[in-house]
Amino acid sequence: MNLSAKSSGLGKLMRAGLWLIGACIIIGLAVTLAYFYSAQSNISGKRTIKSLGDSVAITFDESDIPHIKAKSQADAYFALGYLHASERSWQMEMNRRIASGRLSEILGNDTVKIDRFVRTLGIKRAAERQFDRYPVSAKRLLQAYADGVNAGNAQLGWALPVEYFLTGSKPGHWSPTDSVAWMLMMAYDLGGNWHKELQRLELSQYLSTKQVWEVIQPYEHDEPVSNLDFSKLYRELKVYHPSPGPAEGKAKNLPATELSQLDQMGARDGIGSNNWALSGKLSTSGKPLLANDPHLGLSAPAVWYFAHLEAPGLNVIGGTLPGIPAVVLGRTDKFAWSFTNTGPDVQDLYIEQIDLKNPGMYRGPDGPLPFKVHQEIIDIKGSPSLTFLVKETRHGPVISDSYAKAKRTIDTDRFALAFRWTALDIENQSVAGLLDMNRAADLDQFKQALRKNYAPMQNVVMADIEGNIAYQAAGMAPKRILHHGLYGVAPAPGWERQYDWNGYVPFEQLPASNNPEQDWIATANQKIIAANDPNPLTGDWDLPTRYNRIVDLIKSKNIHSADDMKTMQGDTLSLGATPLLELFKTSQSPHPLSAQAMEIGRSFDGDMKKNSAGALIFNAWADQLTRNLFSRLSYLFTETYGSRNYRAPLINQIKNPNSPWCDDPKTQQVESCQDSSNNALGKALEYLNKEYGDDPKSWVWGKAHIAISEHRPFSKVPLLGELFNIRTPFAGDSFSINVGRLELMQSENPYETLQAPSLRTIYDLADLEKSLFVYQTGQSGWVQSKLYRNMNSLWANNEYLPLQMKPEKSSRQLELTNK
């Protein structure tokens, strides 16, 4: 009887449990269905917004580009803000938090170092000071955009993008200064000379100045822009930490793009772009052709959102950056423009000597000066708040209290490192410059608007329907005198006036060109010098591999078509590989797969095609050879190999078959570069055999060279990363026109790429309605939308979509009204 009662009670309990599980499943399904029904990831119809000035009609074309037609420019930018929030709310929330140093409020301890560094730089504080000086007309447009963002977030209701639920957060208030702050973060991403300064300081602990130049060398065959023996200077000053060593490791569950490697933003070789213009004399249409592909970190969603804005005095289409109220790259109905990063040295580090008797003072040119100090508080999810002091010298914020690599290098009891950067200047009005660019009626007005571009400095290549092509470097850069002082190549003693900046290069003296005799203009982050000024804008230009290849292709034909522009943008011949091919093809290894592999390798010509086995074998060998030569630098190599590619010093050293860098210091015998190359081949074959099997013909480049658009912040989180990230096999390498920079030691897969063409555009000035574009994700930031990743395969295969102001078909309509 008792057994029966127990059995009956157990059965009831099991039935109740099953009923509860079933009920939970039903409720979960109901909530999920309600979420997908309520989520406004594809808005259409009519929306009433009280803060809107007048009604705005928005038509989405087949590529999901919104065509915004408004009765005032303020309403047009309001609508753009509304769409940015509707389509990219989470992305904008991350942008806002990154720029204001408030990630840790929702992400916890993993992002405290990032927040502290951004707060130390004072990005949001600088943005607020700069915004106060903006023209009233620009302030009104920035406010209209911010109002649109906040209205867009409000209309999302409870069914927010899923990232908000996963982090337990909600959209924050967007202000005009958030737009200015995000512009500063874009400038930071594109202006990282200070990282090389710090690396030269670190290397000088162990190397002579001559050896430092061999590792971080000047542009190609140029002499260094500074003749100063900075290694000797630092030793005499005794600036170094008593026990230097590796910095603390990165958080492993954060993505590389703009989060866990904020310290590498701007420090990465290859950050830049390609653009070129051909005059009508070189085109099939008789009018100019213009092409552009900016190289930025790949993110999901992409950094770009395409839109068309039309209002009185405004008619522009192209790529916008969610968070900034402007078309940054694009065209009007009369002209088109393109950007690449000029890469001037606009950042300097200063070694400030602390007064040991009074640590609140530091050494100035005429005696002790007080540090400016203010307090910052970072709220941290799941932990107590962090309160810290930010110090500032006459040069700028002190970063050695918040940046681990600086803190571990210098003796922080006696010295501090201060950071000088043009973008933090109160005079910076770059967003106002973008607004003026969008309103320009012709190229002359556009060039006038470029005068307001402060940071980042850009190589602007333009073309118009009248047949003009033009180039202008636009931005602020400090005046420097060749071979005078340090020329910004390494940290300078802050108490000596000779190292202070002495004004900026006037706009009229910046490099420029109009309708050149050669009938073409091209930039790809190569060395740029104004004809009337022999002083280069930096001593740290990129290798000119992409530029040289562009020039070769332009000169290879007398007449070019828009299809030729596509072919050029997809070109994968690496001029960073070709100087190494002779050594590669003469390499030998006792590895059992060596004969098969080198039969493939000896026919490799440097073209990094996706289906090329030679490309993978070569890159694995070049990787191991680079490690052989420079791993003796210990943590100073392993921490940077990937953000820096070391290809230039590698090419330079193997020119000498008996370079001391080729000798292995761990062995008694003296190795030649051929010996090191043979050893590298063996290591490469071991790696490839282990990772890709025992058939070298199957070792194709596309299996290893995967382009990954990383989500913030779930890229590295198991399962979530698979859901949010976008992956595809990709061609090219760090030096090809169709660039795909290798991660090397910065990733478990050294040959994946997180930085590639962030978009491609082609303009035929004979008919601007035939303009083309593509980028690597899609217009939507909602992961459940088909428009989240719909462009990815087109982008990977170098295919394009139309960029038209007057599309024939539309996919949906949206009306914003205040009634």
Side-chain angles (χ1 to χ4, degrees), residues 32-64:
T32 302
L33 289 171
Y35 172 77
F36 282 117
Y37 178 78
S38 301
Q40 299 187 46
S41 57
N42 196 27
I43 56 173
S44 61
K46 187 175 181 179
R47 296 288 189 278
T48 302
I49 305 166
K50 298 296 184 183
S51 53
L52 182 64
D54 210 331
S55 60
V56 178
I58 305 172
T59 301
F60 294 82
D61 65 25
E62 291 186 304
S63 300
D64 208 54

Side-chain angles (χ1 to χ4, degrees), residues 344-346 422 454 457 475-479 501 503-506 510 537:
D345 183 356
V346 296
T422 57
Y454 207 93
M457 180 180 279
M476 302 303 291
K479 291 180 180 178
W501 289 1
Y504 290 157
V505 180
L510 291 173
L537 293 168

Side-chain angles (χ1 to χ4, degrees), residues 79-139:
L80 180 64
Y82 186 91
L83 291 174
H84 279 169
S86 300
E87 302 282 2
R88 302 288 188 88
S89 179
W90 175 254
Q91 182 182 31
M92 292 191 68
E93 181 65 8
M94 291 299 289
N95 292 352
R96 184 182 70 83
R97 289 185 174 277
I98 289 170
S100 56
R102 296 181 60 187
L103 288 169
S104 303
E105 293 175 2
I106 62 171
L107 300 179
N109 282 298
D110 279 341
T111 54
V112 170
K113 291 178 185 176
I114 299 166
D115 284 346
R116 179 166 181 166
F117 185 64
V118 172
R119 298 278 190 99
T120 297
L121 292 184
I123 298 294
K124 188 64 188 293
R125 286 162 57 89
E128 289 167 347
R129 291 193 296 267
Q130 291 168 4
F131 180 74
D132 284 343
R133 292 196 169 197
Y134 268 50
V136 172
S137 59
K139 284 183 177 179

Side-chain angles (χ1 to χ4, degrees), residues 197-222:
E197 288 191 41
L198 181 57
Q199 193 178 9
R200 289 187 179 112
L201 173 66
E202 290 188 293
L203 287 169
S204 295
Q205 296 172 91
Y206 313 107
L207 304 176
S208 67
T209 299
K210 177 179 179 295
Q211 290 172 319
V212 172
W213 280 118
E214 289 173 352
V215 176
I216 313 178
Q217 65 187 75
Y219 182 82
E220 286 205 300
H221 310 298
D222 288 1

Side-chain angles (χ1 to χ4, degrees), residues 132 472 487 560 663:
D132 284 343
Q472 177 68 58
Y487 210 84
H560 296 265
D663 177 42

Side-chain angles (χ1 to χ4, degrees), residues 556-602:
S556 69
K557 296 179 68 175
N558 292 326
I559 299 292
H560 296 265
S561 67
D563 284 341
D564 292 325
M565 301 298 96
K566 295 179 187 178
T567 301
M568 288 175 66
Q569 287 191 332
D571 188 80
T572 52
L573 181 68
S574 172
L575 298 190
T578 49
L580 300 174
L581 288 179
E582 183 179 352
L583 181 61
F584 168 60
K585 293 179 181 183
T586 57
S587 300
Q588 298 177 346
S589 167
H591 192 281
L593 295 176
S594 178
Q596 289 176 261
M598 290 313 292
E599 183 180 354
I600 297 168
R602 277 188 285 273

